[in-house]
Amino acid sequence: MAVGRPAIGLDLGGTKILAVVISPEGRLLGRAGHPTPHSGRSALLGAMAGAVREAAAAAGVNVWETAGIGIGAPGPTDPEAGVLLEPPNLPLDCHNLPLRDLLQPELAARIEVENDANVAALGEHRFGAGRGVADMVYITVSTGIGGGLLTGGRLLRGAGFTAGEIGHMAVAPDGHDICGCGRIGCWEAVCSGTAIARQAREAVLAGRAPGLLARVGGDPAKLTPAEVTGAAAQGDPAARAIVDRVVTYNGVGLMNLLHLLSPGMIVIGGGLTHAWDALVAPAIAWAQAHALRRPAAACRMVRAELGDLVGGMGAAALLSDGAPD
Ligand SMILES: [Zn+2]
């Protein structure tokens, strides 16, 4: 970002909009949040502009004085045109929404638009665990699995702007795990929080997991990843089998990333990192043990640092991506 000027980051989520103002060093100067309206594009644009203005006011700056506004948006985006393409969980009239053209005149500031996983990768690279690491992979594991790739300190977007869709790398295509995308055996179809809960329900419904069923009072709908890892830690064999499978395929996914990109660091965030010791640490060990020696030795795999602010801070970092600073 331009030397000395704060930048605004806007994290557009399916349930909430968060705007932050940060200093060039990544210090939080102001923030404002709103629930995401679902009544159409004009309400959405109004809420986004309102959050930006409120965050700027909280930081004591004028929007036009900042380096600009970075927007991290769900689903695929066209970062060159500044367009939101197909955001999941937002009304249909928000598809193909030219955010830059619509917000730039109103807010009188430079606007950059990027997919939220790429934004999070950039945030960890600039301000979080990946500071100073030129070749970095970011992975977020929660209800799905997403990612972002930095090579030579820059986001790798790909020809279709979809590079880093690592959740849909196939890890078990001969299995029975159907992904939300319709394919079989995507990484997120085996290892996301949604997938862990699904495997637990399947085990219960097949009569293979009486311990798990008892744990949730006989209601399979209450099976969560935390219940599965908790039961596994206490020695429940069905839960242990699910955890072992998830760990192995997490390890396969990490190993594939090591072989493809030879990153200096893989930063892992998202809700499932709460189960770091059960699901992540043993997967890292698996990948380090099975991968080619050189990429394994060159890579550290660590926990993300920015937490809930990663989207906003990463969006603000869009104002400096690739720029000399
Ligand atoms: Zn998929």
Side-chain angles (χ1 to χ4, degrees):
M1 63 198 66
V3 174
R5 283 197 294 171
I8 299 175
L10 192 130
D11 181 6
L12 171 61
T15 56
K16 67 177 193 302
I17 294 170
L18 173 69
V20 299
V21 182
I22 63 168
S23 73
E25 303 78 33
R27 197 158 46 84
L28 183 66
L29 303 175
R31 63 186 288 171
H34 282 287
T36 305
H38 287 263
S39 51
R41 64 162 64 187
S42 60
L44 183 71
L45 291 165
M48 293 171 75
V52 165
R53 291 197 181 97
E54 286 167 35
V61 298
N62 292 305
V63 174
W64 58 266
E65 291 174 319
T66 65
I69 303 158
I71 300 173
T77 61
D78 179 340
E80 288 176 357
V83 174
L84 187 58
L85 293 175
E86 294 161 19
N89 308 317
L90 287 178
L92 271 180
D93 79 340
C94 296
H95 287 211
N96 299 307
L97 186 61
L99 284 176
R100 177 185 295 154
D101 287 353
L102 292 171
L103 287 172
Q104 205 150 274
E106 183 177 346
L107 293 168
R110 177 184 160 199
I111 289 183
E112 299 291 338
V113 179
E114 184 56 81
N115 158 269
D116 52 9
N118 282 354
V119 157
L122 197 58
E124 288 290 338
H125 171 67
R126 284 295 304 244
F127 304 121
R131 288 188 303 277
V133 181
D135 299 294
M136 192 202 96
V137 173
Y138 171 79
I139 304 175
T140 175
V141 189
S142 55
T143 52
I145 294 180
L149 316 172
L150 283 117
T151 62
R154 302 201 59 167
L155 273 178
L156 181 68
R157 294 188 167 102
F161 310 123
T162 60
E165 285 284 0
I166 60 173
H168 301 286
M169 294 194 323
V171 295
D174 55 350
H176 58 276
D177 307 273
I178 298 171
C179 187
C181 75
R183 288 167 189 78
I184 293 175
C186 295
W187 189 355
E188 79 170 34
V190 183
C191 298
S192 67
T194 312
I196 293 170
R198 190 206 76 235
Q199 288 166 84
R201 276 197 310 277
E202 287 171 356
V204 161
L205 294 173
R208 286 186 278 111
L212 273 175
L213 187 60
R215 207 178 158 90
V216 292
D219 182 358
K222 291 183 178 160
L223 287 163
T224 62
E227 293 290 354
V228 176
T229 54
Q234 290 167 4
D236 181 87
R240 187 73 252 164
I242 293 169
V243 167
D244 286 348
R245 182 165 187 261
V246 168
V247 163
T248 299
Y249 285 113
N250 272 338
V252 170
L254 292 171
M255 180 181 72
N256 287 342
L257 291 171
L258 291 177
H259 290 169
L260 183 67
L261 295 161
S262 186
M265 183 179 283
I266 298 178
V267 179
I268 306 169
L272 254 61
T273 55
H274 293 303
W276 186 271
D277 291 342
L279 299 175
V280 185
I284 291 172
W286 192 100
Q288 292 282 11
H290 288 78
L292 291 169
R293 188 176 53 82
R294 286 188 67 84
C299 184
R300 285 190 294 144
M301 297 187 239
V302 304
R303 208 189 281 261
E305 290 182 359
L306 298 182
D308 291 345
L309 285 177
V310 69
M313 294 189 72
L318 285 171
L319 280 308
S320 61
D321 178 35
D325 55 3

